[in-house]
Amino acid sequence: DQQVKQNSPSLSVQEGRISILNCDYTNSMFDYFLWYKKYPAEGPTFLISISSIKDKNEDGRFTVFLNKSAKHLSLHIVPSQPGDSAVYFCAASRSGSARQLTFGSGTQLTVLP
Amino acid sequence: EPEVTQTPSHQVTQMGQEVILRCVPISNHLYFYWYRQILGQKVEFLVSFYNNEISEKSEIFDDQFSVERPDGSNFTLKIRSTKLEDSAMYFCASRREDNYGYTFGSGTRLTVV
């Protein structure tokens, strides 16, 4: 079951530069998308979300872009900081359900000082 | 900031034994969830709970699993007869009715030997 896919298991970026994490989905019923950040031995921490009626949502250094026709979303982090180093999960949910999340496999982001 | 609290942080149990994982969701949240992450795999949905009953469950959540909200604060996941393949991180999460973003607990690492 690969309804949400993160094709890059890892990404390294220099401090101060932009980090772009990508996510693709196949289920057209998904209408709400979220990004979570996870450190080892901790639970996922909510970062930012976007509804399918929008194509962009911004919160400080984090911006999520949604391209519904391509079933693609991305998370931009500008500027990247060493403390951003973590695993980033894309997740999606749909209406008519309990809003359970379907997760991607995660991307390990390493921000190099 | 309100937190979802999970206990214990780590539990080791013998195959065939019953385990109860405990969670205290955020007090004004109405939806409660259990997810798990087997080492090296995706975070997977197990069950959602709303209005004192299960609202949805995944194929993973078979007869060996049960959930309960025994009082106004605790939310528990019981595994009746543990198997080796139940070894995973188990995350509890909760959310408000008007917000699709969850708050996750820090997880319980269950090791079945």
Side-chain angles (χ1 to χ4, degrees), chain B residues 10-29:
Chain B
H10 190 187
Q11 172 130 17
V12 181
T13 188
Q14 287 208 319
M15 191 169 55
Q17 295 295 303
E18 174 184 285
V19 294
I20 297 176
L21 310 182
R22 302 181 192 279
C23 170
V24 179
I26 294 173
S27 60
N28 64 347
H29 287 190

Side-chain angles (χ1 to χ4, degrees), chain A:
Chain A
D1 181 359
Q2 290 280 328
Q3 294 189 69
V4 178
K5 289 184 278 190
Q6 294 176 256
N7 291 318
S8 298
S10 63
L11 174 68
S12 290
V13 169
Q14 208 67 37
E15 180 179 5
R17 307 294 289 267
I18 184 170
S19 295
I20 301 176
L21 297 105
N22 294 302
C23 178
D24 297 293
Y25 62 96
T26 57
N27 189 340
S28 56
M29 300 298 291
F30 289 144
D31 65 354
Y32 198 78
F33 304 89
L34 309 91
W35 284 94
Y36 281 85
K37 174 180 176 180
K38 187 178 180 303
Y39 294 113
E42 293 185 13
T45 301
F46 172 75
L47 270 179
I48 192 168
S49 61
I50 189 167
S51 163
S52 60
I53 62 174
K54 295 187 173 182
D55 55 19
K56 177 182 174 181
N57 188 26
E58 193 171 351
D59 183 2
R61 296 186 298 115
F62 302 93
T63 303
V64 56
F65 295 92
L66 175 62
N67 182 334
K68 277 175 52 181
S69 61
K71 293 192 175 70
H72 177 83
L73 63 155
S74 60
L75 174 67
H76 292 209
I77 306 173
V78 183
S80 303
Q81 300 172 353
D84 295 330
S85 297
V87 178
Y88 287 77
F89 290 98
C90 168
S93 71
R94 58 178 178 83
S95 63
S97 70
R99 287 285 174 187
Q100 66 265 31
L101 299 179
T102 300
F103 281 87
S105 53
T107 296
Q108 171 70 57
L109 173 66
T110 303
V111 180
L112 304 167

Side-chain angles (χ1 to χ4, degrees), chain A residues 41, chain B residues 8-12 37 39 88-90 106-111:
Chain B
S9 57
H10 190 187
Q11 172 130 17
V12 181
Q37 185 180 26
L39 187 64
M89 281 290 289
Y90 287 81
S106 56
T108 294
R109 177 170 297 285
L110 176 66
T111 303

